[in-house]
Amino acid sequence: MKQNDHKNDTDLQRQLGQMPAIHDHQAKDELYDKISVHMKESKPDKKKSDFLPVFAFITVLLLAAIITPAMMMNRSNDELNSSESQNYEAATESGISENTEESAELFETQDEGKVTEQNLPVSDFESHLVFEMDEGANYVASVAAGSNAEHIIPLTIKGTDSNAVFRKVTASAAKIAERLGVSFFPLEGAEIIAEGETGEIIFSKDFQTQGSSSDVILQRSIEHVFRQYGVSEVKLSYEDGRPFEMGNYGIVESMKVSPDQKVSYKIYRSSESNPILLAPIELNENASIDEAVEIMASPGGGEYIYSPLPDGVEVDVNENSGHELLIRVKTTGQLQANQKAMTMIEALLATAASFGYEQVQFEGLPFAGIRTYDFTEPIATPEAVNPISIEE
């Protein structure tokens, strides 16, 4: 076996020796560089494998940046809502309310969309109406002139003396004219006698009128007072027996008083420190109740005169019968059951009374009642306006 192997090796060497010669002309340095480059290219690419963890880390950061603020916002909103809910419940439990004239939170909403009056004292509301003058209340009908003597302001003065007379009561009321926001009492010092359908007014001997505007105020004052007492004709004179002289009208011995005077009641208030009073804007005998409501809603009427209808409130009227008026109230805002709404209701009632209506049915109000007024039933119209009390 060994001999054969040696023979094979000898044959192989002989065959290799017969092959043509191959010569490499590359320099040693050049050959080294090529071999080094080949070895680098044959190594695995670590850059790609290293990039994957970095990309995953950046993706996590981006997702965290997006999700975390949203989660924080939701948590903040939840905490805010929880805080507001707790504050509202605390305020409700403690009975907190705003007792201002313009916006008193006096009613709470019910499921059926109506509201019900809370247990608040009736004295929290100020009424401008008198419904029964002859029920032992000792009311005396009087009249004041507005601050600019443009309008008469009817006053129904409640006295404590059952034998109170017009002269005494009016003199007492005149002492608080500034507090009421009126300028003077046109019939101050006069004596009034009312018996049946005839009456008499007796002026002091030195009584004088102050120009044409005061003549008109005086005439309207006489008519208003005696109309309240159901008098149709009045005799005028001085206390010394002379016939009465009414400025530009000259001598006036008697005056007719119409039993009815259609009016549109608006608000009179000369300053914020003075009380609100109802002022009648006289209409002609052919005026309709629709015209009266339009005048009531209008902003004009003179200085210190305002509409009793709150902003965003409209009123439609229809006659249910000869004695009952239907008033539909429409509002574009939130009408509160407060003093302002009550003044509007009372101005509408007094206006309806001047047109001969005995009752008013209200519809469309977002509350069931104010003070003693129940709007689910027809409401009686008043006999007089602006009740005041004086100390005699």
Side-chain angles (χ1 to χ4, degrees), residues 136-155:
N138 304 321
Y139 284 113
V140 173
S142 187
V143 176
S147 292
N148 51 10
E150 279 187 294
H151 301 279
I152 65 167
I153 311 298
L155 297 172

Side-chain angles (χ1 to χ4, degrees), residues 23-24 78 117 123 129 140 229 233 238-239 288 372:
H23 302 282
D24 187 0
D78 291 340
E117 188 177 0
S123 58
L129 302 182
V140 173
Y229 295 114
E233 185 174 0
Y238 291 104
E239 59 186 358
S288 66
T372 57

Side-chain angles (χ1 to χ4, degrees), residues 286-360:
N286 296 320
S288 66
I289 186 66
D290 294 274
E291 293 173 334
V293 171
E294 288 179 5
I295 291 174
M296 183 185 299
S298 66
E303 194 174 6
Y304 310 124
I305 300 294
Y306 309 95
S307 171
L309 273 61
D311 292 339
V313 173
E314 295 181 359
V315 173
D316 291 331
V317 292
N318 293 99
E319 188 176 283
N320 274 349
S321 66
H323 301 288
E324 183 176 299
L325 183 68
L326 173 63
I327 296 181
R328 293 187 179 89
V329 178
K330 301 176 182 178
T331 177
T332 57
Q334 185 178 5
L335 184 62
Q336 298 284 334
N338 53 19
Q339 179 66 61
K340 193 168 186 178
M342 179 169 161
T343 301
M344 173 191 73
I345 295 297
E346 293 193 329
L348 288 166
L349 288 171
T351 299
S354 75
F355 279 77
Y357 294 103
E358 298 177 359
Q359 294 185 122
V360 174

Side-chain angles (χ1 to χ4, degrees), residues 88 120 127 153 246 261 296 372:
Y88 174 78
L120 293 174
S127 176
I153 311 298
M246 190 184 293
Q261 173 62 62
M296 183 185 299
T372 57

Side-chain angles (χ1 to χ4, degrees), residues 26 80 115 189 270:
Q26 298 181 88
L80 179 61
V115 291
S270 59

Side-chain angles (χ1 to χ4, degrees), residues 97-106 336 338-340:
S97 63
E98 294 183 20
N99 292 321
T100 61
E101 179 180 334
E102 298 298 329
S103 57
E105 298 295 335
L106 306 178
Q336 298 284 334
N338 53 19
Q339 179 66 61
K340 193 168 186 178

Side-chain angles (χ1 to χ4, degrees), residues 51-96:
F51 178 73
L52 290 175
V54 174
F55 177 76
F57 178 71
I58 293 174
T59 302
V60 171
L61 289 179
L62 289 175
L63 290 174
I66 294 172
I67 295 173
T68 301
M71 294 177 63
M72 294 297 291
M73 183 177 295
N74 289 336
R75 181 180 178 183
S76 177
N77 288 338
D78 291 340
E79 292 176 352
L80 179 61
N81 291 335
S82 176
S83 176
E84 289 178 349
S85 177
Q86 292 174 0
N87 292 338
Y88 174 78
E89 291 174 359
T92 303
E93 291 175 359
S94 61
I96 296 175

